[in-house]
Each structure stands twice: as C-alpha cells, then as structure tokens.
C-alpha cells in the first residue's frame, strides 16, 4: 500500500523553464512534508519542507505547494538548470508506534533538464 | 551542514556470510537513525528506526534476525546483514536526525551490497 505516490516516473524540461513535480498522499494524518533530491549511488539531500499548517513555502528557486483537501503537494523549480537533473523524492512524516517520527517516501520522479 | 558517512561504500560477499555496514553522524549527535533499502528504480523503503540506547523498531516484513541493527552511541549505528543471500543485494542507505521528533534527516551516501 503506497501511501505516498509520485505518478510521473520521469519529466523532461528545457533549461530556464519551470519544472513541476507532483506528489499525492492518502493518509490525512501526515502533517509534515519534505522534498529530497538524489543522484545515482548517493544518499538523498534535503531540499525543502512544509508543515501542514501552511500551503506554500519558498526557498530560492524552489517552492513547495500543499493542497490538504486534495492531499497533493508539488515542487516548483524556477528557473530549471541542468544541475537540477536528478531523482526527486517527496516524503511525508508519520508518527510511529515507538513515538518517533518516520518519513514515508514516494517512488521518485527523474527530472532531466535539457540545455 | 550535517554530515553522515557510511562504510563501506561497496561490498561484495559470498552467500551465507555476514556483512556489517556502519553509519556515522560526523558533526552532530543523532538520537535517531534510520536504515533504508532501495531497489533499482524504486523508492526508499524504510527498514527500521533506531533510537540510541534502545532496540530498533522494524517495519512490517523486515526480518529483525536477519538485519541486526545496533545504535550504541549518539554517532554510530550499524546494520549487519546475517547469512546473506543474493536477494539481499541492494543499496542500503542510513539517515540520522538530531531529534526523534520531526526535523531534517541527513542521509549517508549509501552502501552497495552485492551477494554472490
């Protein structure tokens, strides 16, 4: 049962244009969301996060939008650069039975920015 | 920024042997560490959560006797794959967090395990 879904496995965007990566979730108890970027054979690196009490968070070229009623979040990258080419994972926070917060990751979207 | 290291980065072992992977937080104290496994073109699958000084909490379907996790100090967690089989071949990634509550997780670079 995939609680966090990224339905687009890949996305190609021209350099300088906007990249929009989407993520859907099913669990309404999730209250904190994150986006990570991952290069092959490396661990993910944190990009940006958003709490469920907000609907937008911006950090430089990266903006995350949250639509709680639709259980949907998106990551916008403007302008896109070739160095942004990577796999992007969204993650949602869930409290485990031990009381620790754990993150549930989506399946990832491979972004390719074309020069 | 916070740095998490993993050792080894790559390991090849024979079927039936055990392999230990180390995860260290280099410049912060990690009260909570996580172990993930990633199959090719698939998501990061959380295997277990470990809090320093206590037993790890394993996710459903993960064999605790096969994947032994130890978090003996605030900067070190180890994952031991016991009696490895070819189907255990995968990319194993650890992450660390300063607090058991929400917050940024810092990931290690991963360990590629190949069991022959």
């Amino acid at each position: 049962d995939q609680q966090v879904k990224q339905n687009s496995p890949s996305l190609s965007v021209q350099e300088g244009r906007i990249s929009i990566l989407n993520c859907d979730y099913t669990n309404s108890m999730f209250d904190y969301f994150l986006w990570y970027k991952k290069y092959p054979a490396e661990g993910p690196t944190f990009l940006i996060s958003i709490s469920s009490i907000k609907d937008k968070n911006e950090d430089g070229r990266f903006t995350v939008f949250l639509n709680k009623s639709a259980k949907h979040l998106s990551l916008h990258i403007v302008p896109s650069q070739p160095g942004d080419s990577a796999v992007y994972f969204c993650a949602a926070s869930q409290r485990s039975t031990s009381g620790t917060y754990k993150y549930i990751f989506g399946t990832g979207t491979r972004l390719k920015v074309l020069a | 920024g916070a740095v998490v290291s993993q050792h080894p980065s790559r390991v090849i072992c024979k079927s039936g042997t055990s392999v230990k992977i180390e995860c260290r937080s280099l410049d912060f104290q990690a009260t909570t560490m996580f172990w993930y496994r990633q199959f090719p073109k698939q998501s990061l699958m959380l295997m277990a959560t470990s809090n320093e000084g206590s037993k790890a909490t394993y996710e459903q379907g993960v064999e605790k006797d096969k994947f032994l996790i130890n978090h003996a100090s605030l900067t070190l967690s180890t994952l031991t794959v016991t009696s490895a089989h070819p189907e255990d071949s995968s990319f194993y990634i650890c992450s660390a967090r300063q607090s058991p509550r929400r917050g940024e997780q810092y990931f290690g670079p991963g360990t590629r395990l190949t069991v022959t």
Side-chain angles (χ1 to χ4, degrees):
Chain A
D1 178 29
Q2 190 71 31
Q3 297 186 71
V4 180
K5 299 178 184 178
Q6 292 174 257
N7 292 318
S8 298
S10 64
L11 174 68
S12 291
V13 172
Q14 207 67 34
E15 181 180 7
R17 306 294 291 268
I18 183 171
S19 294
I20 299 176
L21 297 105
N22 294 302
C23 180
D24 297 293
Y25 61 95
T26 57
N27 190 341
S28 58
M29 298 300 290
F30 290 147
D31 60 357
Y32 188 69
F33 304 88
L34 311 92
W35 283 94
Y36 282 84
K37 176 180 178 179
K38 186 181 182 300
Y39 294 112
E42 291 185 14
T45 54
F46 171 75
L47 273 178
I48 192 168
S49 63
I50 187 167
S51 165
S52 62
I53 61 174
K54 295 186 176 182
D55 54 20
K56 177 182 174 181
N57 188 26
E58 192 172 350
D59 184 2
R61 296 186 298 115
F62 303 93
T63 303
V64 56
F65 294 93
L66 176 62
N67 182 333
K68 287 192 294 294
S69 60
K71 295 192 181 69
H72 177 84
L73 67 155
S74 61
L75 174 69
H76 292 210
I77 307 174
V78 183
S80 301
Q81 300 172 353
D84 296 329
S85 298
V87 177
Y88 289 78
F89 290 96
C90 67
S93 175
Q94 180 179 38
R95 186 176 172 135
S96 68
T97 53
S98 66
T100 302
Y101 284 87
K102 61 182 183 182
Y103 296 153
I104 308 297
F105 283 82
T107 48
T109 296
R110 182 176 301 278
L111 173 65
K112 190 171 184 179
V113 180
L114 307 168
Chain B
V3 180
V4 175
S5 70
Q6 270 182 254
H7 178 80
S9 58
R10 283 178 176 273
V11 57
I12 301 172
C13 70
K14 292 189 175 179
S15 191
T17 62
S18 295
V19 174
K20 181 186 281 189
I21 303 170
E22 291 187 349
C23 176
R24 293 181 185 272
S25 55
L26 298 184
D27 51 3
F28 68 100
Q29 292 188 325
T31 57
T32 306
M33 285 185 165
F34 304 86
W35 285 95
Y36 294 84
R37 182 174 178 178
Q38 186 183 27
F39 295 99
K41 297 185 180 180
Q42 292 192 27
S43 180
L44 298 163
M45 185 193 80
L46 179 64
M47 298 173 67
T49 303
S50 72
N51 291 305
E52 186 265 338
S54 60
K55 287 184 179 180
T57 302
Y58 289 80
E59 295 298 303
Q60 194 172 10
V62 178
E63 298 175 61
K64 59 181 68 176
D65 293 330
K66 180 165 187 62
F67 298 99
L68 301 178
I69 291 171
N70 184 279
H71 191 168
S73 78
L74 284 171
T75 59
L76 173 64
S77 176
T78 59
L79 166 67
T80 302
V81 183
T82 63
S83 187
H85 289 282
E87 56 264 31
D88 298 326
S89 299
S90 193
F91 192 58
Y92 293 87
I93 308 175
C94 73
S95 71
R97 204 156 73 199
Q98 287 182 287
S99 165
R101 297 190 57 80
R102 288 185 304 236
E104 189 175 330
Q105 281 186 42
Y106 301 96
F107 283 83
T111 296
R112 169 72 60 191
L113 170 64
T114 304
V115 185
T116 60

